[in-house]
């Protein structure tokens, strides 16, 4: 073999050795990467398990705090009741002692001790307290005696026996009656006509069992009138026109002649508006947009020129955004996502021109098909309707982390819950459901265990029941029927004297 051939063989062998070594190193590298990847995957699983455990502990802590707060509230109510009893006993004892030492029917300051001048024209003596010659003590005692001689007793509410007592039907002014709201003074119910592009003003106070339309307005800007809200002073209505992409401002300062005073149309920020909620001071109106998963802030401080000043879009927490409610402190708005089975929490106070989603909660059971939302007067809880259920959310403990603390489901009484209202005393929730054509009454005294206690189901006057509003004294609830073009008065409590 020549020198060239030997050199060639050596090079070939060396190259083979190098290739074998490189391949071996590559296989080793791959093996190490696979091993490290497996370790990382295991660590990710550990972290996920730890995170899930932390979430569980947090939810348990929140639930525990909520339960403790309920127990504390119960203790406070019981203590207050005891204090009232003690105070009542002290007043009765004081009254008995006073009646022994003073002559109630004396109109002048007489007696051994004589009058004591307190303020010019006012003195106290054995005859009682005199103000410019009038014996105030005598008058008060006479008033108390008169009331004691003719006591009145309120009949207890028989929630199990609620009944429809009157229905108002109008194929023109209540055409496609959808949502309704009661005026602050309790005199009127305002009803949006989804098909009729209208707003009707209904007198519900003069004779609650026989509501009467006293005024109405029809306009294309009200086309698809969905949600209606009223200003704190009762002079203005804010109406979402789902078909017109419009928020319309209607003056009802003259109830018999409502008139449109302003509107804003926006095919992006107000695309398919459904939910409407006015801020407590009525400077802003918050609107949910159904078609683009949106939430908009509308400045209505100048009612004639309302304008969109801020908005936010989110398909994760507001998929098919349907309804909106605002907290009593005006800090947060709560928006239901009917397709995402969720409620989004939006900060509307920090910067109204830049509303920000700061929290949310979703649940395919308790919030399935989330639709209507209402907030308790103290801002502690939100009630959310859905496919067949009513859920109670704790939004007071940590508003940015709302927690479902209880829910009740009933496919007969609450199928397609479209609207929810809370009694003035906070004891009951009233749910109007379009699929079951019903009004359901839920006892929410124990928020962790709401209980269905009464219902009217499959009533022809409640066909496709869509809206519910509560009278000032909780005696009557008014429910709209989309199919029936009607508003029905339902007596839920008989507070007549017996």
């Amino acid at each position: 073999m020549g020198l060239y051939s030997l050199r060639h063989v050596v090079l070939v062998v060396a190259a083979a050795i190098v290739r074998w070594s490189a391949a071996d190193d590559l296989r080793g590298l791959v093996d190490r990467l696979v091993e490290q990847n497996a370790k990382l995957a295991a660590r990710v699983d550990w972290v996920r398990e730890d995170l899930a455990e932390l979430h569980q502990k947090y939810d348990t802590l929140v639930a525990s705090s909520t339960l403790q707060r309920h127990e504390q509230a119960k203790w406070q109510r019981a203590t207050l009741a005891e204090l009232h009893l003690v105070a009542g006993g002290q007043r009765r004892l004081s009254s008995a002692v006073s009646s022994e030492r003073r002559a109630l029917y004396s109109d002048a300051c007489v007696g051994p001790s004589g009058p004591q001048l307190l303020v010019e024209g006012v003195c106290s003596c054995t005859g009682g307290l005199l103000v410019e010659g009038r014996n105030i003590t005598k008058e008060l005692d006479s008033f108390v005696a008169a009331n004691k001689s003719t006591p009145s007793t309120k009949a207890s509410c028989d929630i199990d026996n609620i009944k429809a007592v009157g229905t108002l039907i109008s194929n023109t002014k209540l055409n496609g009656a959808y949502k309704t709201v009661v005026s602050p003074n309790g005199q009127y119910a305002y009803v949006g006509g989804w098909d009729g592009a209208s707003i009707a003003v209904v007198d519900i106070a003069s004779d609650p069992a026989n509501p009467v339309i006293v005024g109405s307005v029809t306009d294309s800007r009200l086309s698809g009138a969905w949600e209606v809200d009223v200003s704190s002073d009762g002079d203005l209505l804010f109406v979402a026109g789902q078909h017109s992409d419009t928020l319309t401002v209607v003056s009802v300062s003259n109830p018999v002649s409502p008139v449109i005073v302003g509107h804003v149309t926006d095919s992006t920020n107000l695309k398919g508006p459904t939910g409407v909620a006015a801020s407590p001071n009525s400077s802003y109106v918050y609107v949910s947009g159904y078609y683009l998963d949106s939430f908009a802030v509308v400045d209505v401080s100048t009612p004639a020129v309302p304008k969109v000043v801020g908005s936010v879009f989110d398909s994760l927490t507001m998929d098919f955004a349907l309804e909106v409610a605002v907290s009593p402190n005006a800090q947060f708005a709560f928006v239901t996502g009917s397709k995402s089975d969720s409620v989004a929490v939006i900060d509307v106070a920090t910067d109204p021109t830049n509303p920000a989603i700061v929290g949310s909660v979703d649940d395919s059971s308790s919030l399935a098909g989330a639709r209507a939302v209402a907030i308790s007067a103290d801002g502690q809880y939100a009630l959310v309707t859905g496919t067949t259920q009513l859920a109670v959310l704790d939004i007071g403990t940590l508003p940015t982390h709302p927690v479902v603390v209880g829910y009740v489901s009933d496919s007969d009484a609450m199928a397609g819950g479209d609207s929810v209202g809370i009694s003035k005393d906070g004891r009951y929730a009233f749910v109007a459901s379009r699929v079951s054509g019903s009004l359901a009454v839920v006892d929410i005294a124990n928020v962790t265990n709401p209980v269905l206690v009464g219902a009217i189901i499959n009533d022809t006057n409640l066909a496709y029941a869509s809206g519910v509003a509560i009278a000032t004294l909780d005696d009557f609830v008014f429910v709209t029927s989309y199919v029936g073009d009607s508003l029905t008065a339902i007596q839920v409590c008989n507070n007549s004297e017996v």
Side-chain angles (χ1 to χ4, degrees):
M1 181 181 297
L3 180 61
Y4 173 79
S5 298
L6 180 60
R7 186 179 299 166
H8 177 72
V9 170
V10 170
L11 290 173
V12 170
V13 172
I17 292 172
V18 168
R19 284 195 298 272
W20 176 84
S21 178
D24 185 60
D25 290 344
L26 182 59
R27 281 194 295 272
L29 178 61
V30 170
D31 290 340
R32 286 195 297 273
L33 288 175
V34 170
E35 182 181 358
Q36 291 177 5
N37 183 67
K39 290 180 179 179
L40 285 173
R43 294 190 67 180
V44 168
D45 290 338
W46 294 339
V47 170
R48 284 176 177 167
E49 291 176 2
D50 290 344
L51 183 60
E53 184 177 356
L54 285 174
H55 276 302
Q56 184 177 8
K57 289 181 178 179
Y58 177 80
D59 290 340
T60 301
L61 178 61
V62 170
S64 176
S65 299
T66 301
L67 182 60
Q68 290 177 2
R69 188 172 56 257
H70 295 326
E71 293 298 325
Q72 183 181 18
K74 288 172 61 178
W75 177 82
Q76 289 175 338
R77 288 194 295 268
T79 302
L80 286 174
E82 292 293 333
L83 288 174
H84 284 308
L85 288 174
V86 173
Q90 288 178 333
R91 285 194 296 270
R92 288 190 294 272
L93 178 60
S94 176
S95 176
V97 172
S98 297
S99 64
E100 289 294 330
R101 70 174 180 80
R102 58 184 169 84
L104 291 177
Y105 298 101
S106 174
D107 292 325
C109 289
V110 294
S113 61
Q116 178 183 10
L117 185 64
L118 302 177
V119 181
E120 183 178 356
V122 181
C123 68
S124 64
C125 60
T126 55
L129 179 66
L130 301 184
V131 179
E132 295 183 346
R134 292 180 58 187
N135 192 321
I136 301 301
T137 301
K138 175 182 175 180
E139 293 181 15
L140 286 174
D141 286 348
S142 297
F143 175 77
V144 171
N147 278 275
K148 284 184 177 179
S149 62
T150 56
S152 62
T153 303
K154 298 292 185 181
S156 60
C157 292
D158 186 6
I159 293 295
D160 292 328
N161 193 33
I162 61 175
K163 58 183 178 181
V165 293
T167 298
L168 169 65
I169 301 174
S170 175
N171 302 122
T172 54
K173 297 177 180 179
L174 295 177
N175 188 6
Y178 213 69
K179 301 291 182 163
T180 182
V181 65
V182 171
S183 61
N185 64 6
Q187 184 70 39
Y188 303 103
Y190 305 110
V191 182
W194 197 77
D195 291 335
S198 62
I199 287 292
V201 182
V202 183
D203 182 352
I204 59 171
S206 298
D207 183 359
N210 294 286
V212 178
I213 296 175
V214 296
S216 66
V217 58
T218 301
D219 190 282
S220 61
R221 289 168 288 186
L222 300 172
S223 180
W226 188 289
E227 191 73 74
V228 183
D229 203 4
V230 61
S231 61
S232 56
D233 61 9
D235 287 342
L236 299 172
L237 299 182
F238 308 105
V239 187
Q242 187 183 25
H243 295 163
S244 59
D245 299 336
T246 300
L247 176 73
T248 302
V249 183
V250 180
S251 172
V252 287
S253 56
N254 181 3
V256 301
S257 182
V259 58
I260 293 176
V261 295
H263 78 281
V264 56
T265 300
D266 189 325
S267 59
T268 300
N269 296 304
L270 299 177
K271 185 64 175 177
T274 47
V276 169
S279 63
N281 65 2
S282 301
S283 294
Y284 295 100
V285 172
Y286 308 112
V287 185
S288 56
Y290 185 73
Y291 296 121
L292 294 181
D293 311 324
S294 64
F295 171 86
V297 179
V298 182
D299 185 341
V300 293
S301 55
T302 304
V305 192
K307 56 183 179 181
V308 177
V309 295
S311 62
V312 61
F313 299 78
D314 189 272
S315 60
L316 294 178
T317 61
M318 299 190 300
D319 198 5
F320 286 100
L322 200 60
E323 304 266 343
V324 58
V326 62
S327 59
N329 65 3
Q331 181 71 42
F332 301 103
F334 298 84
V335 182
T336 57
S338 58
K339 191 174 181 180
S340 49
D341 303 332
S342 60
V343 175
V345 185
I346 302 177
D347 182 349
V348 294
T350 301
D351 182 2
T353 65
N354 186 32
I357 297 175
V358 293
S360 66
V361 58
D362 62 89
D363 188 274
S364 59
S365 296
S366 60
L367 295 176
R371 294 184 68 85
V373 56
I375 296 178
S376 60
D378 61 3
Q380 186 64 44
Y381 301 102
L383 304 184
V384 180
T385 66
T387 306
T388 61
Q389 78 285 342
L390 175 72
V392 183
L393 278 63
D394 180 352
I395 60 173
T397 302
L398 188 59
T400 58
H401 189 84
V403 177
V404 177
V405 294
Y407 79 101
V408 58
S409 179
D410 192 294
S411 58
D412 292 325
M414 295 190 295
D418 222 28
S419 187
V420 59
I422 304 174
S423 61
K424 300 301 184 294
D425 63 4
R427 173 66 184 272
Y428 298 104
F430 300 95
V431 180
S433 301
R434 67 190 189 285
V435 177
S436 53
S438 62
L439 175 73
V441 185
V442 179
D443 188 335
I444 55 174
N446 180 358
V447 294
T448 63
N449 184 34
V451 179
L452 178 68
V453 292
I456 297 178
I457 302 174
N458 294 325
D459 189 295
T460 55
N461 293 320
L462 301 181
Y464 210 99
S466 303
V468 62
I470 302 169
T472 303
L473 298 178
D474 285 344
D475 293 357
F476 291 87
V477 171
F478 297 87
V479 181
T480 57
S481 167
Y482 172 75
V483 172
D485 302 329
S486 63
L487 180 71
T488 295
I490 297 177
Q491 190 169 24
V492 295
C493 183
N494 182 10
N495 278 337
S496 59
E497 292 186 359
V498 295

